Amino acid sequence: MRAIGTNLIINKIEEEITTDSGLLLSNEDVKEMRYHKGKVVLPGSDVTYIEKGDVIYYDSRQAYTLVIGGESCTIIQQRDVVVVL
């Protein structure tokens, strides 16, 4: 499996998010948030500045989830990455 061009194959990282007052957000509230956290599995051939293993935040509205070989993975484009940790 290879990512082509500026596409990235990532795995989503599930987070528990709490508010400033200490309330834990439900899974439904977290899913509605625009930016999600993920780990880069394979960067595409034309991707710059992002490497395999990087943890990123990306625009979840531009992501596509596929099942390849029984494993779920998410495909995004480099331009949809907002932060590299």
Side-chain angles (χ1 to χ4, degrees):
M1 172 171 57
R2 290 186 303 170
I4 297 173
T6 59
N7 292 307
L8 297 156
I9 300 173
I10 64 170
N11 284 331
K12 293 180 185 177
I13 297 175
E14 300 296 330
E15 302 183 90
E16 287 187 347
I17 299 176
T18 57
T19 63
D20 291 337
S21 61
L23 295 174
L24 183 64
L25 295 178
S26 71
N27 285 338
E28 292 301 317
D29 290 333
V30 172
K31 287 179 184 177
E32 290 181 19
M33 295 179 75
R34 182 166 183 170
Y35 299 101
H36 290 198
K37 191 175 187 180
K39 184 173 183 176
V40 177
V41 176
L42 290 171
S45 55
D46 296 334
V47 172
T48 56
Y49 306 113
I50 301 172
E51 299 175 359
K52 181 179 179 177
D54 283 347
V55 176
I56 60 169
Y57 279 93
Y58 63 95
D59 185 349
S60 64
R61 295 177 186 168
Q62 302 301 321
Y64 301 93
T65 302
L66 300 172
V67 177
I68 300 173
E71 186 177 328
S72 177
C73 59
T74 302
I75 310 297
I76 62 170
Q77 291 192 7
Q78 179 179 355
R79 68 174 182 237
D80 298 320
V81 175
V82 293
V83 175
V84 178
L85 300 176

